[in-house]
Amino acid sequence: MKTVFRKIFWPILRIFERNAPSQGYRPLNRKILLFVGILFLMLTGISLYFVIAAAVMGGLIPVIGFLVAGTVCLVVALLGSDGAVVKIWGSR
C-alpha cells in the first residue's frame, strides 16, 4: 500500500528526496513533522469553518496555504525517506 501512495505523491517526494543526505536523521524529527502536519490540517479545518461562517472568499487563501503545508508535512513524514525528512528540516 505504501508503494501505491509513493507513486501517487511522487511529485512531492521527488523534491525532498533528490540529493538528500540521510546523515543527521533522528526519529524524533519524523514524529515532530507528523505532529506539525496534523496541526496544519487542524488549522485548515478551523479556518475553513470561519471562512464559511463569515462568507468571505478572501479567507480561502490561508485555507489553501494551510492545506498545502499540512499535506506536504504528512506526505514526507509518512512516505518519505530519512533523507527527505532531514532535507525538509534543513541541514546543520
Side-chain angles (χ1 to χ4, degrees), residues 62-78:
V63 170
I64 293 170
F66 291 144
L67 181 65
V68 169
T71 303
V72 168
C73 287
L74 286 179
V75 165
V76 172
L78 295 174

Side-chain angles (χ1 to χ4, degrees), residues 13-61:
L13 292 172
R14 181 182 56 165
I15 294 170
F16 294 104
E17 290 184 348
R18 189 175 9 170
N19 300 327
S22 61
Q23 69 187 74
Y25 171 77
R26 292 180 297 201
L28 184 62
N29 290 349
R30 190 177 297 271
K31 292 175 185 171
I32 293 172
L33 190 61
L34 184 63
F35 181 72
V36 168
I38 291 170
L39 283 179
F40 271 122
L41 290 182
M42 287 173 44
L43 276 173
T44 300
I46 293 168
S47 299
L48 185 62
Y49 171 77
F50 284 114
V51 164
I52 291 172
V56 178
M57 289 298 122
L60 287 177
I61 295 170

